[in-house]
Amino acid sequence: MTQKTIYRVIYINEDEIYELYASKVYNSDLYGFIEVETWLFGERSQLLVDPGEEKLKNEFAGVKRSYIPMTSVIRIDEVEQQGAAKVSNAKGGTVASFPRPPVKTDK
């Protein structure tokens, strides 16, 4: 029995971080992009409905193939089990830069 390969694709799209699952991920013929096919979502017959996952299902309904810029990709993992698709806010980081010494200018 062959096991189906599942990839977790995490990327940034318009100030949101998308975490989705797919069965096909590869380099695109378009320079600087990756291609993702066969998005995987949970079963629609579940009793509990996750609004974030439903939003993603509706957004990717009818999409045959997605081209994602490599600069937007955060991470691609090969996983054993499919999880729930998620959307989270990319803003609100608490990272601050170290103070820098004043720049000297020659006059």
Side-chain angles (χ1 to χ4, degrees), residues 5-103:
T5 305
I6 300 173
Y7 298 97
R8 178 175 50 210
V9 181
I10 305 172
Y11 67 97
I12 297 175
N13 183 33
E14 297 179 6
D15 294 331
E16 293 180 320
I17 297 176
Y18 283 33
E19 181 177 328
L20 297 164
Y21 293 85
S23 61
K24 297 179 184 178
V25 177
Y26 45 90
N27 282 330
S28 174
D29 291 336
L30 296 171
Y31 183 74
F33 288 83
I34 62 164
E35 288 185 39
V36 181
E37 290 183 7
T38 318
W39 292 108
L40 303 173
F41 294 101
E43 296 294 320
R44 289 190 182 266
S45 62
Q46 293 176 349
L47 185 58
L48 294 173
V49 177
D50 181 11
E53 189 170 14
E54 284 297 314
K55 174 190 170 194
L56 290 170
K57 283 182 191 179
N58 292 333
E59 184 174 338
F60 288 97
V63 174
K64 180 179 176 183
R65 180 180 300 132
S66 294
Y67 297 89
I68 302 172
M70 286 186 188
T71 57
S72 296
V73 175
I74 297 172
R75 183 178 184 150
I76 299 174
D77 297 320
E78 184 176 341
V79 295
E80 293 180 5
Q81 292 183 350
Q82 175 184 339
K86 298 182 225 176
V87 178
S88 57
N89 194 356
K91 290 186 178 182
T94 58
V95 177
S97 62
F98 286 112
R100 296 183 184 176
V103 178

